[in-house]
Amino acid sequence: FGEIHTHKGRSDLLIKFSNLIIILEFKFANKFSEIEKKKFEGDNQILDRDYAKAYEAQNLKIITAVIIADDERHQVIVV
C-alpha cells in the first residue's frame, strides 16, 4: 500500500503479509555525505509519526526501514 495515512502523517510504503508488516520511508540525498542525516530523518519520521502504532495490537512482526537514493553515487541504500 502506498502512503498509508495515520493521525500524524503517512508512511511512504507499507507492505502487509499475513504475519508481517514492513514500513518503508524513502529519502533522497544529493550527496553521499548526506546519507546519515537522511537515515536519521527517516527513522525519526517513522517513530515520531507512529506509523507502526496501528498494527501493534495485531501481534504482527513489524519491520521498518529507510531507503535512500544517493544521487552522487547513483545508488539505493537500505538502512
Side-chain angles (χ1 to χ4, degrees), residues 37-73:
K37 177 184 174 192
K38 296 298 180 177
K39 177 191 179 310
F40 181 77
E41 287 175 8
D43 285 339
N44 281 341
Q45 185 173 341
I46 291 168
L47 293 173
D48 291 345
R49 296 186 183 174
D50 292 328
Y51 292 157
K53 187 175 180 112
Y55 306 98
E56 290 173 352
Q58 297 179 21
N59 282 338
L60 301 173
K61 183 175 182 178
I62 300 172
I63 296 173
T64 63
V66 180
I67 298 177
I68 304 166
D70 175 3
D71 190 41
E72 183 176 54
R73 294 194 179 179

Side-chain angles (χ1 to χ4, degrees), residues 14-61:
L14 182 128
I15 303 168
K16 186 173 183 182
F17 296 96
S18 60
N19 62 343
L20 172 68
I21 297 285
I22 301 172
I23 300 170
L24 300 174
E25 189 61 35
F26 295 93
K27 297 293 179 187
F28 179 80
N30 289 305
K31 297 180 180 182
F32 183 76
S33 61
E34 296 176 348
I35 298 294
E36 284 302 314
K37 177 184 174 192
K38 296 298 180 177
K39 177 191 179 310
F40 181 77
E41 287 175 8
D43 285 339
N44 281 341
Q45 185 173 341
I46 291 168
L47 293 173
D48 291 345
R49 296 186 183 174
D50 292 328
Y51 292 157
K53 187 175 180 112
Y55 306 98
E56 290 173 352
Q58 297 179 21
N59 282 338
L60 301 173
K61 183 175 182 178

